[in-house]
Amino acid sequence: MPSTNGSRPVPAHEVVIVGAGLGGIGAGVALRRIGVEDFVIIDKWPRVGGTWLANTYPGVAVDVPSPVYNFSFQPRSRWSRFFAPGAELQRYAEEVVDRQGLRGKLRLGSGAVRGDFDEEHDLWRIRLEDGSEITARYVIGAVGGLEQPHNPEIPGFDDYTGKVMHSSRWDHDYDYGGKRVAVIGTGATALQLIPELAKDVSHLTVYQRRAIWIGPKVDFPMGPVANAMLNFAPLQRTVRFLGNVGVNAGLGAGLAISDYPRVTSLGMSVAENAMKAWLFTQVRDPELRSKLTPDYRFGCKRPSISNTYFKTFTRPHVELVTDAIEHFTPTGIVSADGREREFDMVVCATGFKVMEKGYTPPYPIYGRDGLELGEFWDAHRFQAYQGVSVPKFPNAFLIVGPYAFAPGSYIPLIESTSAHAARVIKEARRRGATRVEVRQEPHDRYFARMDERAKKTHLFTQGCITSNTYYINYQGDGAAFRPSTQLEMYWENRHFPLDDYRFTTASVRELQEATS
């Protein structure tokens, strides 16, 4: 329970950050930059790292160059590879926590299960898994977008008696060596996992609904010389800047230049032909190559890179199945051609629930007038000002909200939205306000601008809706991405008009109500 100051409760903390992944860590650093020290970072996991702690499947690695995938305030110059394995990213998260002095701010092993805004006292009440409650003036939601596993909704799934694993919940105690294994899914996770599984299993069957666009992976060990060069600060900053520009261009250029559809289409055609050429060098069998060629335009789904994925399917004990899955049996899977294949283990590389009802957010959050955030988004579409704030949810900020992420590295996103939240909190402190809430008009203006831009992109104009892309949610919106450059994302989150928010104080409101 919060303490009291006279008759008014005082929250236990000024800020609660929900999530101790890179997003929550970045938010903590942003708060310290404005002089906020009374904050706590909570998480359901026993250690920091978020995605990089949860995902430990064989072959997991970052798909953005390691010298780019680090915070501007704490670059890392020691990587084992140009594309580092996931364990190194988790260790990097630990390093940031220690160097930035955040270790004492952590409360791990008990995540949030509900949030309620106390309108009378202008504070948030966060209920935790262990049954306790924590209060704070402000809350920053740093639960990542790739958080809630999406298991396939296939008849008979619960009847299967073999081992089942989702790629994000890997059971390292299970020995799959010499066993018959199935993988459902061929997205960015699967293309890292499949070549590793193929090394040890007796037979590997991959069920593909849609092929993925893949290019070569320019990966190499980062030896002492390369790491020493990156340790030279001016070079490190230059590499990081140019790398972020390149990644943003590679992953998000088509979304950022939606007003130039001919240029976008030409760029996609060039990329498609280059990736088809890469596939040709890896797979000479025309029938197999045809199965591995996407039937949708480049950019509809997040493309990826690999030097081993395609060649894995040329191995005699690896089978690619493109017939749809009809149902599970107690011992295996039946595909649309009527054939049943039996397995010892089934791996679901089926992604996450992104911008879906009941999962974004992953627990109920109640703002003013009893409005629940998930229900609001379900009824009125996913929306948030700069991807950070939603009307009727005072003193609350998001790190990865709707229309927040300009595709590229996640690090610039984290630094941008963290800076946004910190800037608002700093202004509220300056004004002595106890409540801050984004105004409806600027919020609606931003939502309309993003929605209009998104609907002009190739996702909606060149057939991407049928590609089963997570960029488009169940409402038919592109809320998972921000159709802009990361430069615009960076600038607007740091220079928005502060008058886009309404700053008020509980005591002043009470006086106004008493005299009205």
Side-chain angles (χ1 to χ4, degrees), residues 8 14 67 90 96 109-110 123 198 224 368 409 449 493:
R8 185 174 302 285
E14 187 169 4
Q90 195 278 327
V96 176
S110 187
L123 56 84
R368 286 198 297 110
S409 169
R449 176 163 62 103
N493 273 292

Side-chain angles (χ1 to χ4, degrees), residues 366-384:
Y366 293 89
R368 286 198 297 110
D369 305 326
L371 182 64
E372 201 281 310
L373 184 57
E375 292 177 358
F376 168 74
W377 277 340
D378 180 56
H380 300 282
R381 304 161 65 194
F382 283 80
Q383 51 190 284

Side-chain angles (χ1 to χ4, degrees), residues 98 105 134 138 162 168 182 199 235 238 265 301 365 409 425 456 513:
D98 287 333
K105 304 294 186 182
I134 189 168
Y138 305 99
S168 67
K199 295 176 181 178
L235 178 60
T238 301
S265 181
K301 303 173 78 169
I365 300 173
S409 169
I425 293 172
K456 290 181 179 179
E513 292 171 0

Side-chain angles (χ1 to χ4, degrees), residues 383-413:
Q383 51 190 284
Y385 175 67
Q386 298 290 341
V388 176
S389 300
V390 181
K392 292 198 173 182
F393 290 86
N395 297 3
F397 309 93
L398 300 166
I399 298 299
V400 188
Y403 300 102
F405 175 51
S409 169
Y410 257 93
I411 301 298
L413 163 71

Side-chain angles (χ1 to χ4, degrees), residues 193-448:
L193 174 62
I194 287 168
E196 295 301 313
L197 289 176
K199 295 176 181 178
D200 299 311
V201 302
S202 63
H203 194 273
L204 180 64
T205 303
V206 178
Y207 288 90
Q208 172 186 279
R209 178 163 55 176
R210 285 286 171 80
I212 182 174
W213 288 107
I214 301 173
K217 186 176 184 178
V218 185
D219 193 18
F220 51 85
M222 294 283 288
V225 175
N227 281 323
M229 292 175 62
L230 280 177
N231 203 34
F232 179 57
L235 178 60
Q236 190 177 63
R237 287 192 292 268
T238 301
V239 169
R240 188 177 182 279
F241 172 76
L242 294 177
N244 272 313
V245 171
V247 171
N248 185 209
L251 294 178
L255 305 178
I257 57 174
S258 56
D259 289 334
Y260 304 93
R262 291 184 179 179
V263 175
T264 301
S265 181
L266 176 61
M268 289 193 296
S269 295
V270 171
E272 288 168 2
N273 288 328
M275 292 191 174
K276 287 179 180 178
W278 170 244
L279 173 57
F280 182 80
T281 67
Q282 304 295 294
V283 178
R284 304 315 295 266
D285 178 358
E287 182 178 352
L288 177 58
R289 196 166 61 243
S290 177
K291 289 181 178 180
L292 290 168
T293 302
D295 60 358
Y296 55 86
R297 297 302 306 270
F298 175 81
C300 288
K301 303 173 78 169
R302 184 180 174 115
S304 198
I305 48 179
S306 176
N307 297 332
T308 57
Y309 178 74
F310 288 141
K311 283 188 175 180
T312 299
F313 292 100
T314 66
R315 303 182 66 176
H317 70 298
V318 178
E319 178 185 15
L320 178 65
V321 179
T322 55
D323 293 305
I325 295 176
E326 285 289 324
H327 63 272
F328 275 81
T329 70
T331 57
I333 295 174
V334 177
S335 50
D337 60 0
R339 180 178 173 183
E340 179 180 0
R341 297 170 176 85
E342 295 188 341
F343 303 107
D344 302 299
M345 178 174 83
V346 174
V347 178
C348 300
T350 45
F352 300 87
K353 295 179 183 293
V354 180
M355 303 292 171
E356 291 190 26
K357 181 181 180 182
Y359 297 94
T360 307
Y363 54 86
I365 300 173
Y366 293 89
R368 286 198 297 110
D369 305 326
L371 182 64
E372 201 281 310
L373 184 57
E375 292 177 358
F376 168 74
W377 277 340
D378 180 56
H380 300 282
R381 304 161 65 194
F382 283 80
Q383 51 190 284
Y385 175 67
Q386 298 290 341
V388 176
S389 300
V390 181
K392 292 198 173 182
F393 290 86
N395 297 3
F397 309 93
L398 300 166
I399 298 299
V400 188
Y403 300 102
F405 175 51
S409 169
Y410 257 93
I411 301 298
L413 163 71
I414 292 168
E415 294 196 25
S416 296
T417 50
S418 294
H420 183 130
R423 184 169 182 244
V424 176
I425 293 172
K426 180 180 180 180
E427 180 66 11
R429 292 177 115 205
R430 188 187 71 81
R431 299 189 187 195
T434 58
R435 181 187 296 188
V436 56
E437 182 178 341
V438 67
R439 297 178 185 273
Q440 193 71 47
E441 183 181 357
H443 167 275
D444 292 348
R445 192 165 57 244
Y446 177 80
F447 175 41

